[in-house]
Amino acid sequence: MDPYERLGISRTSSVKELEQAYADKLAAHPEDSEERTEIERAYVVIKYEKKQKQKRNKRGVGLVLLLVLLGAGGGGYYYWSQDEPATKAVKETKKSTSFVIGEETKVEEPKKKADSSDAPKKVDVSEADYEAVRDIAGIFFRELEDALTQKTVKGLSVSTNRYNENFQSSLNDLNTGGYIFDGGLTMADIPESDIAIKGDTATVTATVEYSSRSYQPYLHERPDGSTIVWKLSLVKSGGDWFVSERSVVSDSAEGRGMTVQESVKDDILRTIEQHAMQWETAYENKDVSAFSLYTNADYLAKQKAYYANLDKKGIYWEGDFDSLEYSPASLRVSEVATDLTASVEALSYYNGSYYRDEDDSLVEEDPGEDIPFTYYLKYDLDQEQWFITGAKKLTRFTKGDTTTY
């Protein structure tokens, strides 16, 4: 919700009206309520906006006074154009070329005696500058929490358009993959030593506590929190600071991983078992439409050709699925961007034989070998179902631990 709507005021409301609305809203909600937290956030954002607006107004008044004074001077003139440098108003004289390296100025020939007045002036950074950057970092992480929760950057007001566009792409991936964020962000106080300001650019090193991380609720339980140290890059535009980039310095959750729930493993094995039963139906009916969980087109085409060959020879198969053996140690689940994939080594056992159509005589007992396969699967979030995307024949189980499902 818009901060102004949250407090029930308009953008033209006075500071006095803001303070009164803030006090009324606080009084109406308990201290530990979620609504009170949102009210406090809205107040901080509006207070900051009004502070920046006052600065811009003061700069505007100062500029008008300057123009009036220049106009009253009689013989003076100035340039009101960003396309032409103001140095043209100074009488040009023949002088040497100069260039700046870092904070030092080097002057080419002809040399002249150094004058202390020519030395570059050190630009002091005031406490107000540090405080402004620190405030922006605080607002940014409060808004970031909402952006992660709601999967949208619409509420990010102190970051650049380019940052928001890139971040929205990441949020779209989380949304597509079914990930959620139901935690909170708490930024630690930022000491002045972790803020560097140079002209219209600045960097901030901020430590942020996450009570939880984004996670896929189908795959994982709610993960533990972590501490992330972020480096923020900021730029000044129109007198205001904006976050332009965010990069990780350290993350206490790095390498921790998240355990896959046992129910997910069971769903994967059930998919393999269901496919084995569909294999029985498909062979008896010589119809690949029985395969609803194996999506590999090459596999289906190969099976269809095999059934056609059986028909040509007047042979059919009859039997039933017996059991599924698999290797628990081989089961892997992977999360890459929006893809949830898995693999597992398994072997299906059948009781069956081939017969001739003309007299139902036994051609031979099923000559098929007991061959394990590595099955590759992908999870469809919309259908809430694992599908087999391919399989690789093995000479034996690569792991020694097998069990019957």
Side-chain angles (χ1 to χ4, degrees):
M1 181 183 291
D2 180 80
Y4 292 89
E5 292 181 16
R6 179 77 67 183
L7 293 184
I9 62 175
S10 69
R11 295 184 181 276
T12 58
S13 297
S14 65
V15 174
K16 184 178 180 180
E17 290 172 325
L18 167 63
E19 298 295 343
Q20 184 60 52
Y22 178 55
D24 292 342
K25 290 288 184 180
L26 289 182
H29 296 88
E31 287 188 10
D32 57 348
S33 67
E34 183 177 345
E35 183 66 23
R36 188 183 180 103
T37 301
E38 297 298 328
I39 290 168
E40 291 172 346
R41 288 180 179 172
Y43 174 76
V44 171
V45 172
I46 295 173
K47 193 79 171 177
Y48 175 79
E49 288 182 356
K50 288 189 174 294
K51 181 179 178 182
Q52 296 302 311
K53 185 175 180 181
Q54 289 175 350
K55 288 182 179 180
R56 289 193 292 270
N57 289 341
K58 287 180 180 179
R59 287 196 296 269
V61 171
L63 180 59
V64 171
L65 290 175
L66 175 61
L67 296 178
V68 170
L69 290 173
L70 288 170
Y77 61 94
Y78 57 90
Y79 281 83
W80 186 240
S81 171
Q82 294 182 345
D83 296 327
E84 296 188 68
T87 51
K88 288 189 177 181
V90 181
K91 184 178 179 180
E92 295 185 1
T93 58
K94 187 176 181 180
K95 59 182 179 181
S96 58
T97 305
S98 66
F99 56 95
V100 177
I101 300 177
E103 295 183 354
E104 298 178 359
T105 300
K106 287 190 176 181
V107 182
E108 296 179 349
E109 294 296 336
K111 293 181 179 180
K112 64 177 182 178
K113 186 176 181 181
D115 188 336
S116 60
S117 62
D118 295 331
K121 303 296 189 296
K122 181 180 179 180
V123 179
D124 292 326
V125 179
S126 67
E127 179 59 35
D129 294 325
Y130 285 108
E131 192 61 33
V133 171
R134 190 180 287 112
D135 287 345
I136 288 295
I139 293 173
F140 172 77
F141 284 110
R142 282 193 293 273
E143 294 180 344
L144 184 67
E145 178 182 316
D146 292 335
L148 288 168
T149 303
Q150 301 169 14
K151 305 293 192 304
T152 178
V153 298
K154 289 182 179 179
L156 296 184
S157 63
V158 293
S159 45
T160 64
N161 290 335
R162 183 173 181 179
Y163 174 87
N164 291 350
E165 290 172 3
N166 291 336
F167 187 46
Q168 184 62 63
S169 178
S170 298
L171 294 177
N172 292 342
D173 285 344
L174 291 177
N175 192 50
T176 302
Y179 288 81
I180 64 171
F181 179 81
D182 55 10
L185 274 61
T186 304
M187 187 189 78
D189 291 337
I190 304 174
E192 198 169 286
S193 58
D194 285 340
I195 302 175
I197 302 175
K198 187 175 182 180
D200 289 342
T201 62
T203 58
V204 177
T205 302
T207 300
V208 183
E209 296 288 340
Y210 286 66
S211 63
S212 179
R213 304 295 295 273
S214 293
Y215 65 103
Q216 220 292 347
Y218 168 68
L219 291 180
H220 313 290
E221 297 287 352
R222 188 176 190 267
D224 293 333
S226 65
T227 303
I228 303 181
V229 179
W230 292 102
K231 179 180 179 181
L232 301 181
S233 297
L234 298 91
V235 294
K236 183 181 282 188
S237 177
D240 295 327
W241 288 100
F242 295 91
V243 175
S244 60
E245 189 177 348
R246 176 172 59 117
S247 57
V248 176
V249 177
S250 65
D251 184 351
S252 65
E254 185 176 357
R256 182 195 302 169
M258 290 186 283
T259 304
V260 175
Q261 299 189 73
E262 290 299 319
S263 60
V264 176
K265 299 176 182 178
D266 190 60
D267 287 346
I268 292 169
L269 294 171
R270 188 181 300 113
T271 299
I272 302 298
E273 183 186 51
Q274 288 175 337
H275 167 67
M277 291 188 287
Q278 290 177 352
W279 188 95
E280 172 191 322
T281 303
Y283 262 65
E284 288 186 334
N285 299 331
K286 299 177 184 178
D287 185 0
V288 295
S289 66
F291 293 115
S292 66
L293 299 175
Y294 205 128
T295 59
N296 186 285
D298 290 340
Y299 173 82
L300 298 177
K302 185 178 179 180
Q303 291 298 104
K304 188 174 183 179
Y306 179 70
Y307 301 152
N309 188 50
L310 289 180
D311 269 339
K312 185 178 180 179
K313 293 180 178 180
I315 297 174
Y316 68 92
W317 181 86
E318 188 175 279
D320 58 80
F321 168 67
D322 181 51
S323 61
L324 179 71
E325 183 182 7
Y326 78 100
S327 166
S330 72
L331 203 159
R332 297 282 185 274
V333 179
S334 175
E335 306 171 70
V336 180
T338 60
D339 290 336
L340 307 181
T341 59
S343 63
V344 63
E345 295 177 9
L347 169 59
S348 300
Y349 291 98
Y350 297 88
N351 296 314
S353 301
Y354 286 94
Y355 301 87
R356 293 191 185 279
D357 286 328
E358 56 187 22
D359 56 7
D360 296 330
S361 61
L362 180 66
V363 176
E364 60 180 335
E365 293 187 0
D366 192 341
E369 300 176 54
D370 293 334
I371 300 174
F373 286 82
T374 297
Y375 290 94
Y376 302 97
L377 305 94
K378 182 173 181 178
Y379 188 72
D380 187 297
L381 191 68
D382 295 329
Q383 300 185 56
E384 298 183 344
Q385 173 66 54
W386 287 96
F387 290 92
I388 302 172
T389 59
K392 179 183 178 182
K393 185 184 295 187
L394 301 172
T395 57
R396 64 182 184 280
F397 281 103
T398 60
K399 305 292 183 182
D401 66 324
T402 62
T403 186
T404 300
Y405 177 70

